[in-house]
């Protein structure tokens, strides 16, 4: 067994936001500050800046806290829901909307979709509907924010804190985290709103807000801001805060929401860098859908505003800025939802055309293209926010690694019994890919281990770590021990007789079958497959004993170099038995928790 590779220090996704956050706030404030002259003396810019920065920090942290709690409560079921309900594009859209609303992350939904495509569980055409639906699910956040129950924020934080730190049940603690996060979202909005209050009488800022009524400028500002902080929810939240102060009208808010839809594509594109063709295609579907949707609606912002005003609550008893502050936040949230629902309905019928377009833009690699070093297909850092989904990806990656180990086993016996040194070298080199995937899986498991895991997830992680080490040990037995025996056969000039080859090949097939079942057991968490491996123990022992008897009988045969041949053949049997031992240990990582639970 090779030592566990050093693991890089883990940085929580939130930590990546702060440098971007500073840049974003600077980008937002620069136009206003540039206009500040003598009027600046009437406003305490330091206090305002701290309020805006602190409020936005609380808002983002609350969003993350709430999302993490939601994922912990419901994340384990989301993968199954996606896999089972995406039977057609319409059901796929509904499923994508539901899953994204629950786990509060369209990027995680997209990553799951890419994994299903890679595993052959979903076509690209089916995935288009899910990605479109994910945009609808992401609008749930805006609907929550628009309630603006800032006066209850501290109560939510207090109750959530009490549940999170004093409740005995794990589920209750997660609900506490969810409530505490939601309270921090509203509290952060209240802090930002209070910090911006002095700007009501600051004419340069009001003039800048007036310029944002130009839809193209509003879209550009929101897209840049969203791209910088990689959170469309934050852009929508700030737009709602400004609306609650009466700074922006509904058409301006809609333009900002459009820009947020385009800016969030940056997250999808960044996530696709260095990933598979499927990941890049899924990201392009997201980009094309969002940009095309904005392009269609940008000329109809006025009409959308009128429609939304008709279906949203009215406060006719108020006038001027007070009425804007009371009505626009909810209208903006409704416009955001209506816009994304309408776009999905418009484009859902063209899912096949979307799929063909991105396949044309991102073609398969030419067959003659030089092979690149093997790399993990399913491990994605985006899923680290949901440990249950990340652990499922490890299972898929073990299946991927298992394909290389099975190929080694398949090619090993012909090379050992009758191949030349070149064929043995080819088998030996196959282990490099196995070692590479082994290191990548362990590194990913290390990242998962630093998350907040349940007792069950911790046990699952330890089992997967043992399984991937056992699988790597099988590769090492082939690379080091069996290949070495092949070299000994060639160096000693030994020829394996046809009857002995038949015996060894039969034993090899049984062991290979056990390894295949063990890989399937771990990848699918399949107890039946695991038990099929452990119950093969008697069969393996019987075949090994039969092979040993055959070898003893062959020992007295009148053949040249019978003793060296006997030694090599017996060693091959022992190494195959050791491979079965590792396969059985892999299977027990699946059986053990189930036995204990029973």
């Amino acid at each position: 067994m090779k030592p566990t590779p050093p693991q890089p220090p883990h940085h929580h996704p939130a930590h990546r936001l702060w440098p971007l956050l500073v840049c974003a706030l600077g980008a937002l404030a620069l136009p206003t500050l540039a206009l500040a002259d003598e009027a600046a003396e009437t406003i305490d810019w330091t206090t305002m800046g701290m309020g805006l920065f602190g409020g936005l920090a609380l808002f983002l942290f609350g969003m993350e806290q709430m999302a993490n709690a939601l994922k912990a409560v419901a994340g384990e079921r989301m993968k199954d829901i996606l896999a089972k309900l995406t039977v057609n594009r319409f059901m796929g859209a509904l499923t994508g909307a539901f899953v994204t609303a629950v786990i509060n992350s369209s990027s995680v939904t997209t990553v799951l979709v890419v994994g299903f495509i890679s595993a052959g569980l979903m076509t690209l055409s089916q995935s288009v509907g899910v990605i479109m639906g994910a945009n609808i699910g992401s609008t749930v956040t805006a609907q929550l924010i628009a309630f603006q129950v800032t006066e209850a924020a501290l109560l939510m934080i207090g109750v959530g804190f009490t549940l999170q730190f004093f409740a005995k049940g794990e589920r209750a603690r997660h609900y506490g985290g969810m409530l505490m996060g939601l309270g921090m979202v509203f509290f952060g909005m209240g802090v930002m709103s209070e910090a911006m209050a002095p700007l009501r009488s600051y004419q340069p800022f009001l003039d800048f807000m007036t310029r944002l009524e130009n839809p193209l400028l509003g879209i550009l500002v929101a897209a840049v801001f969203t791209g910088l902080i990689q959170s469309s929810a934050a852009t929508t939240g700030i737009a709602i805060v400004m609306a609650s102060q009466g700074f922006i009208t509904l058409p301006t808010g809609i333009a900002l929401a459009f820009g947020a839809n385009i800016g969030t594509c940056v997250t999808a594109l960044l996530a696709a860098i260095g990933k598979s063709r499927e990941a890049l295609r899924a990201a392009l579907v997201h980009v094309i859908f969002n940009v095309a949707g904005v392009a269609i609606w940008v000329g109809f912002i006025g009409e959308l505003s009128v429609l939304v005003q008709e279906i949203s609550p009215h406060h006719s008893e108020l006038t001027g800025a007070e009425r804007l502050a009371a009505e626009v936040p909810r209208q903006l949230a409704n416009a955001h939802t209506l816009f994304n629902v309408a776009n999905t309905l418009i484009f859902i019928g063209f899912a096949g055309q979307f799929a063909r377009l991105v396949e044309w833009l991102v073609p398969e690699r030419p067959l003659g293209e030089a092979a690149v070093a093997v790399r993990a297909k399913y491990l994605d850092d985006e899923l680290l926010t949901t440990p249950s989904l990340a652990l499922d990806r490890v299972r898929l990656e073990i299946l991927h690694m298992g394909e290389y180990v099975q190929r080694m086993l398949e090619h090993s016996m012909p090379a050992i019994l009758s191949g030349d040194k070149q064929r043995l070298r080819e088998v030996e080199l196959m282990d490099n890919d196995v070692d590479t995937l082994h290191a990548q899986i362990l590194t990913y498991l290390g990242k998962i281990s630093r998350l907040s895991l349940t007792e069950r997830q911790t046990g699952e992680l330890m089992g997967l770590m043992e399984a991937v080490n056992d699988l790597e040990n099988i590769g090492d037995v082939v690379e080091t021990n069996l290949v070495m025996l092949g070299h000994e056969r060639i160096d000693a000039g030994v020829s394996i007789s046809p009857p002995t080859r038949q015996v060894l090949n039969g034993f090899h097939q049984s062991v290979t079958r056990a390894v295949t079942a063990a890989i399937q057991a771990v990848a699918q968490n399949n107890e039946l497959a695991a038990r099929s491996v452990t119950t093969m123990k008697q069969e393996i022992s019987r075949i090994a004993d039969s092979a040993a008897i055959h070898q003893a009988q062959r020992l007295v045969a009148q053949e040249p170099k019978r003793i060296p041949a006997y030694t090599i053949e017996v060693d091959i049997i022992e190494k195959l038995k050791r491979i079965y031992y590792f396969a059985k240990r892999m299977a027990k990582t699946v059986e053990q928790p189930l036995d204990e639970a029973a």
Side-chain angles (χ1 to χ4, degrees):
M1 183 186 301
K2 289 183 172 57
T4 301
Q7 298 170 354
H10 176 65
H11 299 286
H12 198 277
H15 294 174
R16 298 194 300 265
L17 286 174
W18 303 119
L20 296 174
L21 196 56
V22 173
C23 295
L25 286 172
L28 189 67
L30 276 177
T32 302
L33 293 177
L35 293 170
D37 42 24
E38 69 282 352
E41 298 176 3
T42 63
I43 297 178
D44 187 344
W45 293 102
T46 302
T47 301
M48 179 183 294
M50 288 190 297
L52 285 173
F53 184 86
L56 184 56
L58 284 170
F59 177 92
L60 289 172
F61 185 75
M63 287 291 300
E64 185 178 6
Q65 177 93 351
M66 183 174 64
N68 288 342
L70 278 167
K71 291 169 188 173
V73 170
E76 295 195 25
R77 299 181 180 89
M78 294 303 101
K79 179 180 72 74
D80 294 332
I81 291 172
L82 262 180
K84 291 175 182 177
L85 298 184
T86 51
V87 291
N88 60 58
R89 66 187 71 176
F90 299 101
M91 189 59 72
L94 289 174
T95 307
F98 174 73
V99 170
T100 304
V102 171
I103 62 179
N104 197 29
S105 175
S106 58
S107 59
V108 169
T109 304
T110 303
V111 169
L112 287 174
V113 164
V114 170
F116 288 137
I117 296 172
S118 301
L121 302 176
M122 182 186 293
T123 66
L124 181 61
S125 182
Q126 287 175 318
S127 76
V128 173
V130 179
I131 294 169
M132 290 178 177
N135 267 25
I136 298 175
S138 65
T139 67
V140 172
T141 303
Q143 292 290 348
L144 283 174
I145 293 171
F147 281 110
Q148 296 189 91
V149 287
T150 50
E151 52 280 343
L154 289 176
L155 177 62
M156 291 181 185
I157 293 173
V159 174
F161 176 87
T162 302
L163 284 173
Q164 192 171 20
F165 288 91
F166 296 107
K168 292 183 179 179
E170 191 170 20
R171 198 170 186 84
R173 289 199 297 271
H174 288 316
Y175 283 126
M178 194 187 322
L179 188 60
M180 186 176 175
L182 186 59
M184 292 177 74
V185 167
F186 289 126
F187 186 65
M189 288 180 61
V191 171
M192 284 190 289
S193 181
E194 187 176 341
M196 295 179 73
L199 293 174
R200 287 180 174 180
S201 57
Y202 185 55
Q203 194 58 43
F205 178 78
L206 297 177
D207 292 341
F208 175 68
M209 289 294 101
T210 302
R211 280 198 290 274
L212 284 183
E213 291 181 4
N214 178 336
L216 296 180
L217 181 59
I219 291 171
L220 177 62
V221 169
V224 171
F225 183 79
T226 305
L228 281 171
I229 66 171
Q230 296 185 43
S231 173
S232 60
T235 305
T236 306
I238 290 174
I240 289 174
V241 167
M242 290 192 294
S244 68
Q245 288 290 340
F247 289 141
I248 60 174
T249 61
L250 179 57
T252 302
I254 291 175
L256 293 176
F258 285 0
N261 261 40
I262 293 177
T264 196
C265 296
V266 173
T267 305
L269 289 173
L270 288 176
I273 293 176
K275 300 292 176 61
S276 64
R277 293 298 218 215
E278 291 86 355
L280 186 54
R281 286 171 177 171
L284 273 180
V285 169
H286 192 195
V287 172
I288 294 170
F289 173 60
N290 284 14
V291 173
V294 170
I296 288 175
W297 283 93
V298 70
F300 299 96
I301 289 179
E303 288 77 4
L304 181 59
S305 299
V306 172
L307 175 60
V308 169
Q309 287 170 341
E310 290 295 324
I311 64 174
S312 301
H314 295 82
H315 294 275
S316 54
E317 72 279 5
L318 302 176
T319 58
E322 291 184 353
R323 183 169 183 177
L324 284 177
E327 293 182 347
V328 173
R330 172 57 56 197
Q331 291 172 353
L332 180 54
N334 289 343
H336 194 203
T337 301
L338 184 61
F339 161 72
N340 282 289
V341 170
N343 278 346
T344 300
L345 292 176
I346 291 170
F347 290 115
I348 193 71
F350 301 97
Q353 287 81 353
F354 266 84
R356 286 193 290 274
L357 175 61
V358 295
E359 285 172 348
W360 177 72
L361 292 172
V362 185
E364 294 291 345
R365 288 188 175 91
L367 294 176
E369 187 173 302
V372 296
V374 67
R375 63 185 178 191
K377 287 174 63 177
Y378 303 104
L379 307 182
D380 200 302
D381 287 351
E382 285 288 338
L383 295 179
L384 290 174
T385 54
T386 314
S388 59
L389 298 179
L391 289 169
D392 278 328
R393 283 313 179 85
V394 172
R395 293 186 184 279
L396 280 176
E397 200 57 51
I398 288 176
L399 180 63
H400 180 213
M401 177 179 169
E403 293 171 359
Y404 287 87
V405 173
Q406 288 172 296
R407 190 174 66 179
M408 284 185 71
L409 272 174
E410 179 185 343
H411 288 82
S412 62
M413 196 54 62
I416 294 161
L417 298 182
S418 59
D420 55 19
K421 286 186 176 288
Q422 177 59 33
R423 291 185 66 183
L424 289 169
R425 178 62 177 163
E426 290 171 359
V427 173
E428 188 177 10
L429 289 175
M430 290 180 188
D431 192 55
N432 293 341
D433 291 340
V434 174
D435 290 342
T436 299
L437 291 175
H438 173 250
Q440 292 178 12
I441 293 172
L442 285 186
T443 299
Y444 194 73
L445 283 170
K447 293 178 181 178
I448 298 175
S449 70
R450 289 189 283 275
L451 304 174
S452 176
L453 303 177
T454 65
E455 186 176 343
R456 178 177 174 276
Q457 289 169 342
T458 300
E460 186 178 353
L461 182 140
M462 297 305 296
L464 290 174
M465 192 169 290
E466 291 176 16
V468 75
N469 284 332
D470 288 332
L471 189 56
E472 196 265 346
N473 283 332
I474 292 173
D476 283 349
V477 171
V478 175
E479 175 209 23
T480 304
N481 302 122
L482 288 177
V483 168
M484 182 186 68
L485 291 173
H487 283 295
E488 287 182 9
R489 173 190 61 79
I490 294 172
D491 293 340
V494 169
S495 177
I496 307 297
S497 67
T500 301
R501 286 187 200 177
Q502 185 175 355
V503 170
L504 293 177
N505 281 325
F507 191 23
H508 172 260
Q509 288 171 6
S510 296
V511 171
T512 300
R513 193 169 72 251
V515 171
T516 300
I519 294 169
Q520 179 187 9
V522 174
Q524 300 175 358
N525 201 21
N526 187 331
E527 182 187 0
L528 291 178
R531 293 199 185 281
S532 74
V533 178
T534 54
T535 54
M536 284 180 67
K537 181 178 179 180
Q538 292 183 344
E539 177 187 346
I540 294 295
S541 296
R542 178 180 56 78
I543 296 174
D545 291 342
S546 175
I549 292 171
H550 172 81
Q551 297 307 112
Q553 292 172 344
R554 292 292 301 166
L555 184 59
V556 297
Q558 297 298 319
E559 293 180 2
K561 302 183 180 180
R562 186 61 240 160
I563 299 300
Y566 172 80
T567 303
I568 292 171
E569 292 158 4
V570 168
D571 280 347
I572 290 173
I573 293 173
E574 288 302 312
K575 300 316 176 212
L576 290 174
K577 286 169 66 177
R578 184 149 183 81
I579 288 174
Y580 171 72
Y581 164 76
F582 285 122
K584 186 173 66 173
R585 283 209 336 182
M586 280 184 68
K588 284 186 175 180
T589 64
V590 176
E591 276 193 302
Q592 189 68 29
L594 295 170
D595 290 340
E596 290 177 355

